[in-house]
Amino acid sequence: MIFTRLKDLREDQDKSQLEIANILGTSQSYYAQYENGKRLIPFDRVIELAKYYDVSIDYIAGLTNNKNKNW
């Protein structure tokens, strides 16, 4: 679920994988592996993306469909 959420969030913002990779300080091909489920995304990067997209970590993890950070 986390992999599809990462892709959906990125596409909702009309961002490329390269743009998000640059935010995380990694390469596009490395970031693509997160979205394709070929590499686990480290927790600190999940936090960084949650802040960037202004969503909860629970939303990225697929534990809720509520993007709101404040319950």
Side-chain angles (χ1 to χ4, degrees):
M1 180 62 108
I2 191 170
F3 312 112
T4 55
R5 288 283 165 100
L6 292 175
K7 184 177 181 180
D8 289 345
L9 285 166
R10 178 181 57 77
E11 290 177 344
D12 287 348
Q13 295 286 321
D14 294 322
K15 299 291 183 186
S16 68
Q17 287 183 340
L18 180 58
E19 289 174 297
I20 301 304
N22 287 337
I23 290 166
L24 296 176
T26 192
S27 69
Q28 178 275 327
S29 61
Y30 204 88
Y31 176 77
Q33 293 178 42
Y34 296 151
E35 284 192 7
N36 294 327
K38 295 185 182 200
R39 181 177 299 274
L40 293 176
I41 185 168
F43 191 65
D44 61 321
R45 290 195 166 169
V46 173
I47 293 169
E48 196 169 346
L49 289 174
K51 289 177 182 178
Y52 176 77
Y53 291 124
D54 196 30
V55 297
S56 70
I57 294 169
D58 286 347
Y59 178 79
I60 292 177
L63 299 174
T64 182
N65 289 325
N66 182 357
K67 290 182 181 182
N68 189 353
K69 296 184 302 186
N70 302 318
W71 293 76

